[in-house]
Amino acid sequence: MNPKSTIISDVKRIELNRITDHNGSISVVQNSLDIPFDVKRIYYLYDIPSGSERGGHAHKFLQQLIIAASGSFDIILDDGKQKTTINLNRPNIGLLLPPGLWRELNNFSSGSICLVLASHEYDEQDYLRDYNEFLVFKAIFNAK
Ligand code: TYD
């Protein structure tokens, strides 16, 4: 997947299996079966103060599956041409993000947990943290 040419419609909302009995539910994410990459890193955002905004960057190579493991929040996605806002509010729904999309996260509900499964280890070099730099990165695609 060329991160310079990814667009919002490349984002996939996936419904994870859900095994429920009277004691609760389990959802499972398996490498290569439920997602198109092997998970190298898991991180999660929690204790998020009301009104917080996170993200504000794009990745050059990283693919991610983002899950509202608890509560809800919005993800604003931007491919350099178009923007969309997606609300995540179920622990068995994941948003599969290809590389090359600017994202911001906000509207976190109290006690929410944003769980992220990532295709690579943490690498600051993979981040585009400046929006204009992001637009330059996408420029070949945007010139079309
Ligand atoms: P960042 O990815 O910018 O967080 P968010 O998009 O949620 O606002 O990361 C915030 C800080 O945490 C930054 O200093 C880098 C550090 N960090 C790591 O050290 N390892 C990681 O795996 C992640 C995701 C962040």
Side-chain angles (χ1 to χ4, degrees), residues 1-2 17 48 51 53 55 62 71 75-76 79 81 85 89 91 94 98 104-105 108 117-118 121 127 138-139:
M1 198 171 295
N2 181 350
N17 59 350
I48 305 161
E53 301 199 338
L62 193 72
I75 306 183
I76 301 139
D79 61 19
K81 262 188 172 173
T85 300
N89 59 9
E104 285 162 22
L105 286 81
F108 291 93
L117 281 58
E121 293 86 357
Y127 281 76
K138 300 290 271 187

Side-chain angles (χ1 to χ4, degrees), residues 9 33 65 90:
S9 58
L33 285 179
L65 181 74
R90 291 294 308 152

Side-chain angles (χ1 to χ4, degrees), residues 41 43 45 54-55 57 122 124 127 129:
R41 176 170 51 120
Y43 64 91
L45 311 177
R54 303 214 49 131
H57 62 255
Y122 173 72
E124 187 57 37
Y127 281 76
R129 290 194 183 271

Side-chain angles (χ1 to χ4, degrees), residues 64-123:
Q64 292 165 303
L65 181 74
I66 303 187
I67 296 169
S70 185
S72 65
F73 50 85
D74 288 342
I75 306 183
I76 301 139
L77 296 169
D78 180 342
D79 61 19
K81 262 188 172 173
Q82 287 192 313
K83 265 191 184 192
T84 192
T85 300
I86 297 169
N87 179 257
L88 286 182
N89 59 9
R90 291 294 308 152
N92 67 320
I93 300 295
L95 203 63
L96 201 50
L97 296 191
L101 296 179
W102 189 267
R103 88 287 308 276
E104 285 162 22
L105 286 81
N106 64 21
N107 203 17
F108 291 93
S109 68
S110 172
S112 59
I113 298 175
C114 172
L115 174 65
V116 183
L117 281 58
S119 62
H120 291 88
E121 293 86 357
Y122 173 72
D123 176 9

Side-chain angles (χ1 to χ4, degrees), residues 10-38:
D10 293 324
V11 174
K12 300 266 178 295
R13 179 186 180 277
I14 59 171
E15 188 163 345
L16 301 165
N17 59 350
R18 182 179 164 175
I19 303 151
T20 301
D21 63 23
H22 57 279
N23 291 313
S25 296
I26 299 177
S27 288
V28 183
V29 182
Q30 297 184 84
N31 284 346
S32 310
L33 285 179
D34 303 298
I35 51 174
F37 58 84
D38 284 354

